[in-house]
Amino acid sequence: MKTRSSRMLLSAFLMATSCVLSCGGLGTSTNPNDPNNPNNPQNSDAITQIYGKSTTTLRIEIDYQANAEPYSGSLIAQDVWELFRANATKLFPGKTLDLPTQKSQWEQLNDITGTSFTGQQLLDIAAAHRGLKNSAGQATFYFIFLDGNYNDGKTVRTDVLGVAIGTTGVIGMFKPVIKSASNLPSIQKFVEQSTLIHEFGHAIGLVDNGVKPVAAHKDEPNGAHCSNSKCVMYYANEGAAAAVQFAQKYISTGNEILFDTDCQNDVATRSAQ
């Protein structure tokens, strides 16, 4: 049942949101040793680990730089992390998701300096601090929240909300950009969660980023993204404007799943192999 407060929240989304932000747009690479190249043998191994039938648990580890703590608490009458949980569980119904949702389960890192971060620097942070490793029965992911911006190697990007480094399981989230989406905490929370869901999609091989599409839905001009503008894997659907669309869909239908049917089918087909 839709509540009056939910409708009021949606109205706030619609009135306060106007900017379009993005992910890192790492795309794919032809360098066989690049973690962003889906043909990299390490990427193939990571995909095999994630989708293997012997892998029963997906475990998330969350670290954050000072002043970049992830959001917690409620969002639209439920825990804010339930949005990520619902989407990950939808894609992997046969696996257990180990998702830390409380500050006491996260670690603040005090040895990170700088205000911009390259993909390699994200991997370096993970190498120094990532505690969970892929092993028999589990595939792991490392989320690092940073008080800075993404550096794509040419420029510092003030429009990038998050990046996934190939299929390494490393996802970087850029808190100043998330906060800039709106002055309303509810919008910031939704932007953060929808961005995490998008980057998680890349980390598990979407779209054609290690997992072959069943149908033709890859947005070729924009890399490893979905051509459906209503899917969270659409290239532009990681910012505040997308939060409006997804919030409207969720509140009007009760459906909190942000992946479209094509992306769900890609994962289901790979899981069945």
Side-chain angles (χ1 to χ4, degrees):
M1 178 178 179
K2 306 176 189 65
T3 65
R4 183 170 179 268
S5 61
S6 293
R7 292 182 185 277
M8 290 175 65
L9 176 58
L10 173 59
S11 296
F13 268 73
L14 294 173
M15 289 187 295
T17 307
S18 60
C19 63
V20 178
L21 306 174
S22 67
C23 75
L26 294 178
T28 58
S29 167
T30 58
N31 181 346
N33 297 316
D34 192 326
N36 298 310
N37 180 358
N39 296 317
N40 181 339
Q42 290 184 344
N43 282 356
S44 177
D45 291 345
I47 292 297
T48 299
Q49 180 76 22
I50 293 168
Y51 289 90
K53 288 181 169 49
S54 63
T55 299
T56 58
T57 303
L58 304 179
R59 299 187 65 189
I60 311 295
E61 179 179 359
I62 299 175
D63 288 346
Y64 64 94
Q65 187 180 9
N67 300 317
E69 180 184 328
Y71 293 119
S72 57
S74 63
L75 175 67
I76 314 181
Q78 67 175 6
D79 186 86
V80 62
W81 285 91
E82 284 305 309
L83 189 61
F84 182 92
R85 184 186 300 278
N87 281 270
T89 302
K90 178 68 174 179
L91 295 182
F92 296 101
K95 301 183 188 297
T96 299
L97 179 67
D98 183 359
L99 176 67
T101 62
Q102 304 299 320
K103 182 178 180 179
S104 60
Q105 299 172 293
W106 309 329
E107 182 178 355
Q108 178 177 315
L109 304 181
N110 297 313
D111 61 346
I112 301 175
T113 59
T115 58
S116 68
F117 303 89
T118 64
Q120 184 57 54
Q121 286 175 307
L122 293 178
L123 292 176
D124 292 343
I125 292 170
H129 295 284
R130 186 176 186 176
L132 297 178
K133 307 293 184 183
N134 289 348
S135 61
Q138 72 173 20
T140 64
F141 302 86
Y142 181 72
F143 299 171
I144 175 67
F145 288 73
L146 296 162
D147 186 24
N149 297 100
Y150 176 58
N151 184 332
D152 65 10
K154 297 179 180 179
T155 186
V156 175
R157 300 282 301 276
T158 59
D159 61 332
V160 171
L161 292 157
V163 294
I165 309 301
T167 52
T168 63
V170 176
I171 292 174
M173 298 289 290
F174 303 103
K175 202 70 177 186
V177 189
I178 294 166
K179 290 179 178 178
S180 73
S182 172
N183 291 325
L184 296 180
S186 294
I187 295 180
Q188 294 172 351
K189 289 179 180 180
F190 204 102
V191 167
E192 183 166 278
Q193 287 294 307
S194 62
T195 301
L196 271 174
I197 291 165
H198 178 104
E199 303 306 339
F200 179 73
H202 285 315
I204 63 172
L206 297 174
V207 174
D208 198 21
N209 190 44
V211 171
K212 292 297 182 184
V214 176
H217 69 107
K218 181 180 179 181
D219 182 7
E220 294 290 350
N222 291 297
H225 292 101
C226 183
S227 58
N228 182 358
S229 62
K230 296 181 180 180
C231 176
V232 73
M233 295 309 296
Y234 187 65
Y235 82 98
N237 279 358
E238 299 129 299
V244 175
Q245 176 187 351
F246 294 142
Q248 185 173 17
K249 177 183 177 183
Y250 173 42
I251 293 172
S252 63
T253 68
N255 181 12
E256 59 193 346
I257 304 306
L258 307 186
F259 293 99
D260 75 347
T261 301
D262 284 329
C263 284
Q264 292 179 45
N265 286 343
D266 291 349
V267 174
T269 300
R270 180 62 181 84
S271 295
Q273 294 177 2

